[in-house]
């Protein structure tokens, strides 16, 4: 875990009772705090109960790492990646 506690009080699967803005901000903050990926070109959005990661990263491992970070915030299975590798 990255030091970002999982949300509690599940009202909606994957969203865990938080607003879209709060969820996006938490994931963006976690991505930028991670020193092992460049998150400047990653956009975070919400579609239904899923968090969507879009943008461009340098390595395949960055795609996997970004998803791992996002899942640490919103929960496993609620992240969809549309990230592309350069």
């Amino acid at each position: 875990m990255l030091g970002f506690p999982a949300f509690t009080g599940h009202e909606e699967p994957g969203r865990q009772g938080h607003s879209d803005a709060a969820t996006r901000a938490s994931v963006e903050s976690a991505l930028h705090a991670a020193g092992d990926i460049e998150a400047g070109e990653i956009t975070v959005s919400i579609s239904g109960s899923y968090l969507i990661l879009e943008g461009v990263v340098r390595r395949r491992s960055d795609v996997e790492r970004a998803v791992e970070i996002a899942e640490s915030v919103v929960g496993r299975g609620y992240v969809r990646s549309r990230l592309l590798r350069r």
Side-chain angles (χ1 to χ4, degrees):
M1 183 143 146
L2 297 170
F4 294 90
F7 294 132
T8 58
H10 300 263
E11 290 179 17
E12 182 180 336
R15 300 287 309 291
Q16 303 172 347
H18 294 269
S19 72
D20 287 355
T23 301
R24 279 194 318 271
S26 294
V27 172
E28 288 169 351
S29 182
L31 288 168
H32 287 288
D36 55 346
I37 66 168
E38 207 170 298
E41 293 187 46
I42 297 176
T43 302
V44 179
S45 61
I46 305 285
S47 179
S49 59
Y50 293 98
L51 183 120
I52 311 296
L53 298 175
E54 296 178 292
V56 180
V57 294
R58 292 184 181 175
R59 299 176 302 264
R60 176 182 294 266
S61 62
D62 289 344
V63 172
E64 295 164 0
R65 181 71 176 127
V67 170
E68 178 183 295
I69 291 167
E71 286 182 337
S72 75
V73 176
V74 299
R76 189 168 178 86
Y78 293 102
V79 176
R80 298 293 181 251
S81 174
R82 295 181 185 160
L83 294 171
L84 302 173
R85 239 180 355 133
R86 288 186 193 183

